[in-house]
Structure formats: C-alpha cells, structure tokens
Amino acid sequence: MNRVVRGSDGREWTIKANLEWSNPIAAEEFEHDVNGGAGPAVVMGAVLLFLVVMFAVWTPDEVYVPPWLILLLVVAVLFFPVRWVLHRPWTVTAATPGDHEENPPETWVGVVRGFYDVRKEVSEVARHIELYAEPDMNGSLQPVE
C-alpha cells in the first residue's frame, strides 16, 4: 500500500505499508514471540488434510454426500491459513523529504497487525498529516532518527 499526502504545512508525505512475513520483535510482545514455531500448525494442517482426503477416498459410491458437507470441509481446511494471512503484522512508514528552508526530513515507523487495521491506520495517519502536518504522536507510528 502506498499513499501520497500533502500536509497542512505544504510538505509531501509518502505513507507505505509493507506486509511482514516474519514477526518483528517488540519489547512488549517478547514473551509471545518465544513459541514452538510453525511446526505444530503444519503437522495439524497436514493431519486434517489427510483425514479429509481419506474421507473422500473411502466413501462408497452408494453414499450421497451433500454439497454443504464438502463446503464445510473446505472451510475447515482453509480457516487457519486464511486467518494467519489476515493477521500478519504490517510495517507502516510515513516519510517526507522535507524542504531545505525550515522543515527537516522526517520518518515515522510503526507496526500494525491485521489487514483491515492497516487500512484504517493508513487512513488515520493520512488525515492527521493533512490536518496537523505530521502523524499523531499518540498513534502507532513513532518518529525515528
């Protein structure tokens, strides 16, 4: 996601949101990052997929399988991978090159979790820049040196 916004002081800001495939370690979330990894999830997904395939293979021809049951099995198999993708962390960056007269270059960075929350955060940051010439200090973005 990229967005260009003009601040109330005339500076042009670029707001970018990038999907992170690995979890960035934050101080307040450290104990949650120490886990068993993705191994148990992959094993459970493989077992569930194996059971669904065996259910389909071993079903006799005389048995009528309703379409809603097939749909339910597909939803069960896809639920956790889709949820995992939708809740990935995103790095949101708001940067301006500044101008040479009075405003120095600035960069603000923050991490937001979830696709819908990122869209909302980018809109809020853009609106705050339009009104106040910089992102909200109390928001998820913080200035970096």
Side-chain angles (χ1 to χ4, degrees):
M1 278 186 228
N2 291 333
R3 190 168 179 179
V4 177
V5 177
R6 183 165 304 280
S8 62
D9 60 352
R11 292 186 293 173
E12 195 169 276
W13 289 76
T14 303
I15 304 171
K16 295 180 183 180
N18 296 321
L19 178 65
E20 298 292 333
W21 290 105
S22 62
N23 284 331
I25 294 178
E28 66 272 2
E29 295 180 353
F30 180 72
E31 49 288 330
H32 299 294
D33 286 337
V34 181
N35 60 22
V42 171
V43 170
M44 289 304 295
V47 168
L48 181 63
L49 185 61
F50 174 76
L51 291 174
V52 168
V53 168
M54 294 313 297
F55 174 75
V57 170
W58 281 356
T59 302
D61 294 335
E62 303 84 38
V63 174
Y64 171 72
V65 179
W68 61 265
L69 181 60
I70 296 170
L71 181 65
L72 183 68
L73 292 173
V74 168
V75 168
V77 169
L78 292 178
F79 175 75
F80 288 107
V82 169
R83 182 181 178 275
W84 181 80
V85 167
L86 290 177
H87 288 97
R88 298 303 310 154
W90 290 68
T91 300
V92 179
T93 306
T96 182
D99 55 17
H100 300 295
E101 298 160 9
E102 59 189 49
N103 297 318
E106 288 185 54
T107 303
W108 294 56
V109 178
V111 176
V112 179
R113 190 170 289 274
F115 177 74
Y116 298 110
D117 292 338
V118 166
R119 291 183 60 199
K120 185 177 99 174
E121 183 66 28
V122 167
S123 296
E124 288 175 2
V125 167
R127 183 70 180 147
H128 208 272
I129 288 173
E130 289 173 349
L131 293 175
Y132 304 109
E134 68 179 15
D136 186 12
M137 185 62 83
N138 297 323
S140 63
L141 299 184
Q142 296 300 314
V144 293
E145 298 292 324

